[in-house]
Amino acid sequence: MSNDNIPADYDHLKEKEWQDKWEKTQVYKFIGDGTRPRYIIDTPPPYPTGSIHIGHVLNWTFIDIIARFKRMTGYDVMFPQGWDCHGLPTEVKVEEIHNIRKNDVSRDEFRRMCIDLTHENINQMKSQMQSLGFSQDWSREFVTMTPEYRAKTQLSFLELYNKDLIYRAVHPVNWCPRCETAIAFAEVDYNDNKTHLNYLEFSETEGDGKVIIATTRPELLSACVAVVVHPEDQRYKHLEGKNVEVPLYNRPVKIITDTDVDPEFGTGAVMICSFGDKTDVSWVNRYGLDIIEAIDETGKMKEVSGKYHGLSIPECKTAIIEDLKVDGCLIKQEPVDQNVGLCWRCKTPIEILVKKQWFVAVNKLETQIKETTEEIDWIPEHMKIRLLNWAGSMDWDWCISRQRLFATPIPVWYCKSCGKVQLPDPEDLPVDPSIENPPNTCECGCNDFTGEYDVLDTWMDSSITPMVIAGWPLPEYKEYYPADLRPQGHDIIRTWAFYTLLRCKALTDEKPFNRIVVNGMVFGEDGHKMSKSRGNVIAPEAVIDEYGSDSIRLWSANSVPGSDIPFDWKDVKNGYKFLRKFWNAFRFINIHIEEYQMDEVFAFENLNPMDKWILSKLNRLVADVTENLEKYNFADARNSIQAYIWHDFCDEYIEAVKYRLYTDSEDLQPSKNAARYTLKTVISTSLKLLSPITPHFTEEVNYYLEEDNESIHKQAWPLPVEKLMDIKAEKLGDIAVSIIGDIRRFKSATGRPLNIPITSATIYTTEPELHHVLKLLESDITGTTRIKNLNIEMGKPDVKEKVVELTPVMSKIGPEFKKDAPIIVKYLLSNDPNEIAEILEKEGEIIIEGHRITAEYVTGRKIIVGSSGEKVEIFHSEELDVVLEIVI
């Protein structure tokens, strides 16, 4: 034990000292020498935004608890940290900071801006992570924008291309006009919106027939290529196969039938545009319709739109509606709810444009993805359904090309002569085809190439993390692959989880990880998901500065995988209060165990009932916490530890052994040492159980507790001691706690300080077994509650009420007895009040100087007396068949 003076209060500002020491001593370094079983964590690589949020805290606390627990249970844990740098988030931020668009400066200059911002943000976020005590092995840090990582991403592209799982094709894609790039369906967010359903009149080209079309997108009239109705809709039977004219453009389009039409929506007649949504794409492909491109990459109308050429989409919509009104083709408008697809980053409404893009052949891999999903253990199990549903709903392949700059370049060139795709050699990676030429000539003999300017979707980087952290493509990677654990949020199941399963299975023919643990989202105190737009975001620093990182970790641990959790300041404050209570308990205990040398055999022989009670509960706690952490049930683990330390240990046991700790009696020395042994065992074991959740606090206490000052995080996880797990001992101790609690409540109810002794008390019970148990607990009860003379008896108290004072009721005696009133009052006050009360109770009256006096003429004050005649208080136990008779 350290001889240093223990501070009077726990100082959470010392957390930084421990963080620096852990980093310096590399406590959390993955060794990989095979001397211990390995545990590999495929850690989420966040976007380097420069600031972690409460959601990150929740996610990484989960990971850190698991990593720390596994280390203490004997595993060599690989807990790396990566940064997913590329893509829209960084580019959009650079454009905001510098007030530019990506094409306003050179490609190299824009990329340099992105790299500089990313380095700055990584440093900030790394510092924040370390301030929360997360135990990553920073020697295994990876950054997706480095040449080494880009080479691996490009190699994975080449391997999938050679397996015919990546191809280039002209296809409709989701397009963000703001970011000017294609995005995948998984990157489309949806938002409820109010708009108008416009009823437009299409005239029959040959005849007087009319068809009313209901549409929310009149700006796409120039791209209308057909009108579709349901084949069984009798309203349009006579028009089937005929042509109608598109309003304003006077262009004929055919009326076709399809069962996908909902006759109940709008008018039951729908215009097919190329392209308004996925349904339009499906119909265009199904019927081989023309493709008319009305919108360009920047969200402006193209020449085909006529007079609206160059207008933005909203401007075009407004102008067309006005023209339709003038033309008499707009019949009516009505409000309608709309679910609008938005770019996941800038929240601009997406469009569907026809583009030549690169795709991963998802549909070829659907069966394998589903099979691999079933091979993985999902925590919680129902999250697996989200991925299976997503895999089964993929109508389009994954578009992986982006028209941005800050990303991994697509490693291909195109021969200017024959158009053949030219690939680099693996040993030449990474390459940038926009500025480099291939080393070889084309098969046709041409050595003139056009480099690919598009870049890869950022998920192409992050979806190979299990392989990268294992050392792929080196053959030794299989020693660390698949990973044991993939922790992640449920909001990226359809992206990170899905793409990782897809790519790793396709590249390695194995599942990427054995188990996936899914965390929920954090909601603000207003009940909504935390977001800057709502103003309900709380920065982790605000919590750490006031209460320390261990307090916010305690809040995080009060949750389970898959469940959303509200941020609760009360829970954080309660955690802080708990740590301070534990600290104060340790300071008191340290006074008594500082010089104590552990002697387990001697202590076992002298354990008293309360020692056995707290030790049995401790070992049951060890078993329960271990099981809960193995099952990722962090809330039950955290709450059971806190309840045990706070209530069983601090409130009950420590109070129950104080009389043994302060004794100088030679006869009580064995009992005193047994209590000291128990105190040190409990606090040492409890610290280990708590250490994955509150690493700083437990390290600080351990520093003063252990002589060798070895980090608690390098110590072995405690195992339950079977011989100390005793249900009978727990029941016995629970009875003692209950009785002691009853006596404390009595003192509190009667206004007596807890430290004031009770002269004499008797405990009565009618249960023989309970009487026997109480006899065994007699010394603990007397010592803890400070009862000088305690008797434990079978039966019930022999007590009675005794009137000790009678007060005449003058408001009745005076008016009724007038001049004789003083005689009556004198008699009542000068005689034994109890005898008068007995006569009144027995006879109903007493005659004084010929006057009849009944109970209504007096008021009495009573006391309870025991069989000894002494004044007593009677107190009934709340939980036991026990009555307490306490001499006052």
Side-chain angles (χ1 to χ4, degrees):
M1 178 167 309
S2 172
N3 292 321
D4 296 348
N5 292 326
I6 301 176
D9 202 359
Y10 175 63
D11 182 8
H12 68 267
L13 297 179
K14 290 187 69 177
E15 290 179 344
K16 181 66 169 62
E17 294 180 18
W18 287 116
Q19 292 156 14
D20 292 342
K21 186 171 183 178
W22 293 333
E23 184 66 17
K24 183 179 180 180
T25 57
Q26 297 186 316
V27 173
Y28 309 122
K29 186 175 178 61
F30 174 72
I31 306 302
D33 60 3
T35 57
R36 289 178 291 162
R38 295 162 179 155
Y39 191 83
I40 315 298
I41 303 175
D42 178 26
T43 322
Y47 284 110
T49 59
S51 177
I52 66 173
H53 51 70
I54 296 292
H56 286 128
V57 174
L58 178 70
N59 190 14
W60 265 269
T61 300
F62 277 16
I63 305 170
D64 195 55
I65 290 172
I66 296 167
R68 292 179 179 279
F69 171 64
K70 287 296 182 180
R71 288 192 195 97
M72 295 181 75
T73 53
Y75 287 88
D76 187 10
V77 175
M78 182 195 291
F79 180 9
Q81 185 58 59
W83 305 97
D84 189 11
C85 309
H86 289 141
L88 288 176
T90 302
E91 292 198 24
V92 170
K93 192 64 179 178
V94 165
E95 289 176 329
E96 290 176 2
I97 292 172
H98 297 280
N99 193 27
I100 60 172
R101 297 296 294 272
K102 63 174 183 176
N103 295 324
D104 291 345
V105 296
S106 69
R107 291 168 69 90
D108 285 346
E109 176 67 9
F110 188 79
R111 285 172 175 167
R112 186 192 60 76
M113 292 177 180
C114 291
I115 291 171
D116 289 346
L117 176 63
T118 301
H119 280 306
E120 179 183 330
N121 288 346
I122 286 176
N123 289 335
Q124 291 175 5
M125 293 179 71
K126 180 176 178 179
S127 176
Q128 288 176 305
M129 286 183 172
Q130 291 173 327
S131 74
L132 285 152
F134 298 150
S135 60
Q136 293 98 328
D137 178 359
W138 290 102
S139 69
R140 305 188 75 88
E141 184 178 15
F142 62 88
V143 181
T144 60
M145 68 180 181
T146 61
E148 295 80 11
Y149 199 103
R150 284 191 287 115
K152 295 182 180 186
T153 300
Q154 290 184 335
L155 178 61
S156 70
F157 176 95
L158 298 183
E159 292 196 6
L160 292 182
Y161 181 86
N162 290 328
K163 291 183 177 184
D164 292 328
L165 293 175
I166 285 182
Y167 64 93
R168 190 177 188 229
V170 176
H171 192 279
V173 294
N174 295 308
W175 187 274
C176 173
R178 159 61 180 80
C179 300
E180 297 181 36
T181 184
I183 61 175
F185 268 110
E187 297 169 318
V188 177
D189 288 339
Y190 290 91
N191 186 50
D192 292 333
N193 184 42
K194 293 283 187 183
T195 189
H196 284 96
L197 194 59
N198 302 280
Y199 289 79
L200 312 182
E201 185 179 80
F202 282 55
S203 301
E204 187 181 358
T205 55
E206 297 180 4
D208 299 327
K210 306 284 186 184
V211 178
I212 307 300
I213 305 296
T215 179
T216 60
R217 302 210 60 183
E219 70 274 17
L220 290 179
L221 275 173
S222 61
C224 179
V225 292
V227 170
V228 61
V229 297
H230 195 281
E232 297 178 8
D233 193 332
Q234 297 302 317
R235 294 172 292 179
Y236 305 113
K237 278 289 185 181
H238 65 291
L239 292 174
E240 187 177 331
K242 294 185 177 181
N243 292 333
V244 290
E245 279 190 352
V246 178
L248 302 181
Y249 293 94
N250 302 320
R251 179 165 46 78
V253 294
K254 193 173 184 178
I255 295 181
I256 59 178
T257 60
D258 193 287
T259 55
D260 286 348
V261 176
D262 179 7
E264 302 300 321
F265 180 78
T267 65
V270 181
M271 70 173 187
I272 301 174
C273 301
S274 54
F275 295 96
D277 56 25
K278 282 179 68 177
T279 308
D280 283 335
V281 176
S282 176
W283 279 328
V284 168
N285 291 335
R286 190 178 303 167
Y287 299 108
L289 302 175
D290 293 335
I291 294 176
I292 301 175
E293 297 182 51
I295 300 171
D296 70 11
E297 291 88 344
T298 64
K300 299 290 180 66
M301 303 307 297
K302 299 181 79 169
E303 276 190 50
V304 71
S305 65
K307 62 183 287 189
Y308 312 106
H309 178 215
L311 296 182
S312 68
I313 295 170
E315 291 170 342
C316 179
K317 176 179 283 191
T318 300
I320 273 190
I321 287 174
E322 289 303 314
D323 289 345
L324 287 167
K325 288 178 181 177
V326 172
D327 236 26
C329 297
L330 180 63
I331 306 305
K332 65 174 181 176
Q333 291 180 297
E334 61 185 26
V336 66
D337 292 328
Q338 186 181 40
N339 196 232
V340 180
L342 307 175
C343 171
W344 71 302
R345 267 300 147 190
C346 68
K347 306 308 178 187
T348 300
I350 62 159
E351 298 295 336
I352 296 180
L353 304 184
V354 178
K355 291 290 177 185
K356 182 175 280 190
Q357 300 289 326
W358 286 93
F359 298 88
V360 171
V362 174
N363 290 316
K364 284 186 179 181
L365 297 166
E366 181 181 342
T367 300
Q368 291 185 58
I369 294 169
K370 290 181 177 180
E371 290 173 352
T372 306
T373 300
E374 295 289 357
E375 293 175 13
I376 295 169
D377 183 20
W378 288 74
I379 309 293
E381 177 73 15
H382 69 265
M383 288 294 173
K384 175 172 63 178
I385 304 302
R386 294 195 184 189
L387 192 136
L388 290 173
N389 288 342
W390 178 250
S393 67
M394 297 291 289
D395 295 329
W396 296 359
D397 283 333
W398 174 19
C399 177
I400 59 170
S401 49
R402 299 290 181 267
Q403 291 64 52
R404 300 299 300 188
L405 298 177
F406 184 52
T408 299
I410 296 177
V412 299
W413 292 267
Y414 309 101
C415 175
K416 288 186 177 180
S417 177
C418 67
K420 182 177 174 61
V421 169
Q422 184 80 2
L423 301 177
D425 293 327
E427 57 269 20
D428 292 332
L429 300 176
V431 297
D432 185 350
S434 69
I435 59 175
E436 300 175 46
N437 289 316
N440 305 313
T441 59
C442 181
E443 291 177 359
C444 71
C446 177
N447 61 2
D448 194 6
F449 297 89
T450 299
E452 175 63 79
Y453 268 65
D454 284 356
V455 294
L456 289 170
D457 177 4
T458 187
W459 295 108
M460 286 288 285
D461 291 329
S462 59
S463 58
I464 56 171
T465 53
M467 298 163 57
V468 171
I469 65 172
W472 183 86
L474 296 176
E476 304 86 74
Y477 89 91
K478 292 188 176 181
E479 295 181 26
Y480 309 102
Y481 183 89
D484 293 281
L485 181 69
R486 154 64 70 88
Q488 68 163 72
H490 64 62
D491 58 324
I492 51 174
I493 286 177
R494 66 179 191 175
T495 47
W496 196 37
F498 177 78
Y499 293 145
T500 305
L501 288 177
L502 181 158
R503 298 245 284 135
C504 291
K505 179 66 174 180
L507 289 164
T508 70
D509 200 31
E510 286 190 71
K511 61 184 177 183
F513 30 78
N514 297 319
R515 176 171 293 166
I516 182 167
V517 174
V518 182
N519 66 278
M521 299 292 104
V522 178
F523 283 70
E525 292 181 298
D526 59 0
H528 295 283
K529 181 181 175 181
M530 280 194 178
S531 67
K532 291 181 180 179
S533 61
R534 285 191 175 274
N536 62 354
V537 172
I538 295 173
E541 293 85 349
V543 185
I544 295 171
D545 290 346
E546 188 166 0
Y547 298 108
S549 69
D550 280 355
S551 296
I552 195 172
R553 288 173 65 106
L554 278 166
W555 162 78
S556 299
N558 192 22
S559 57
V560 294
S563 297
D564 295 333
I565 177 175
F567 180 78
D568 189 349
W569 277 107
K570 290 182 180 178
D571 201 16
V572 173
K573 294 173 184 177
N574 184 64
Y576 183 64
K577 183 179 178 182
F578 162 67
L579 295 178
R580 289 166 62 89
K581 185 178 182 72
F582 196 0
W583 179 266
N584 290 334
F586 167 66
R587 288 186 68 245
F588 166 77
I589 292 167
N590 183 68
I591 297 170
H592 300 281
I593 66 174
E594 187 174 5
E595 303 300 328
Y596 172 67
Q597 298 297 318
M598 295 284 279
D599 186 341
E600 189 172 63
V601 175
F602 178 81
F604 273 23
E605 293 173 351
N606 292 280
L607 294 176
N608 86 344
M610 291 305 291
D611 302 331
K612 294 177 180 178
W613 170 75
I614 198 68
L615 288 172
S616 181
K617 280 181 169 286
L618 174 68
N619 284 279
R620 202 170 303 284
L621 177 71
V622 170
D624 290 345
V625 170
T626 303
E627 181 181 3
N628 281 320
L629 290 182
E630 291 284 8
K631 293 180 177 179
Y632 311 99
N633 191 339
F634 307 111
D636 282 0
R638 174 256 204 194
N639 293 335
S640 58
I641 296 170
Q642 189 164 315
Y644 174 84
I645 294 172
W646 193 314
H647 300 296
D648 294 337
F649 185 53
C650 294
D651 290 347
E652 305 298 347
Y653 179 75
I654 292 177
E655 294 300 319
V657 299
K658 280 182 177 178
Y659 78 97
R660 293 158 64 191
L661 297 173
Y662 286 111
T663 184
D664 291 325
S665 168
E666 190 66 31
D667 292 342
L668 290 178
Q669 287 308 302
S671 176
K672 178 178 181 177
N673 284 332
R676 294 164 81 186
Y677 163 82
T678 303
L679 287 168
K680 187 164 185 178
T681 299
V682 170
I683 201 164
S684 177
T685 305
S686 298
L687 285 173
K688 292 174 184 175
L689 296 178
L690 193 58
S691 61
I693 302 173
T694 60
H696 307 88
F697 174 84
T698 52
E699 191 79 290
E700 181 80 3
V701 175
N702 184 71
Y703 169 78
Y704 295 104
L705 184 67
E706 298 297 335
E707 291 182 4
D708 58 9
N709 289 332
E710 180 190 31
S711 172
I712 194 170
H713 305 299
K714 298 189 76 171
Q715 297 179 21
W717 186 256
L719 299 174
V721 181
E722 293 290 338
K723 65 180 179 180
L724 288 176
M725 296 171 71
D726 186 343
I727 292 295
K728 289 183 179 179
E730 290 185 40
K731 289 181 178 178
L732 189 68
D734 287 342
I735 290 171
V737 168
S738 181
I739 288 292
I740 291 169
D742 289 333
I743 296 171
R744 287 174 177 169
R745 280 188 290 276
F746 164 77
K747 284 187 173 183
S748 177
T750 55
R752 293 171 171 82
L754 293 178
N755 61 349
I756 296 299
I758 293 174
T759 302
S760 178
T762 303
I763 300 176
Y764 291 93
T765 180
T766 59
E767 297 180 10
E769 179 62 27
L770 183 56
H771 178 264
H772 172 69
V773 168
L774 292 172
K775 281 287 189 181
L776 296 175
L777 297 170
E778 186 172 348
S779 61
D780 281 323
I781 295 171
T782 56
T784 305
T785 59
R786 307 190 71 173
I787 298 175
K788 293 181 178 179
N789 181 28
L790 177 66
N791 298 304
I792 299 173
E793 304 288 347
M794 282 289 296
K796 297 180 179 180
D798 180 15
V799 297
K800 60 184 178 180
E801 289 185 328
K802 180 179 181 181
V803 178
V804 295
E805 183 180 358
L806 280 179
T807 302
V809 180
M810 296 305 299
S811 61
K812 291 183 66 65
I813 293 175
E816 185 169 339
F817 301 110
K818 297 181 175 59
K819 63 183 180 62
D820 291 335
I823 298 173
I824 294 170
V825 170
K826 182 179 179 181
Y827 181 89
L828 291 173
L829 294 177
S830 60
N831 287 279
D832 187 338
N834 195 58
E835 289 182 7
I836 296 174
E838 287 179 349
I839 294 172
L840 287 173
E841 182 177 1
K842 182 178 179 180
E843 307 292 338
E845 64 180 16
I846 186 171
I847 304 301
I848 302 174
E849 297 294 329
H851 297 293
R852 180 174 175 272
I853 303 299
T854 61
E856 62 182 319
Y857 292 96
V858 294
T859 59
R861 182 171 67 84
K862 300 177 181 180
I863 63 170
I864 298 175
V865 295
S867 56
S868 65
E870 295 179 283
K871 179 183 176 182
V872 298
E873 291 270 9
I874 298 297
F875 196 77
H876 292 267
S877 172
E878 290 187 355
E879 299 175 357
L880 303 172
D881 178 22
V882 160
V883 178
L884 300 170
E885 179 185 295
I886 300 174
V887 176
I888 305 303

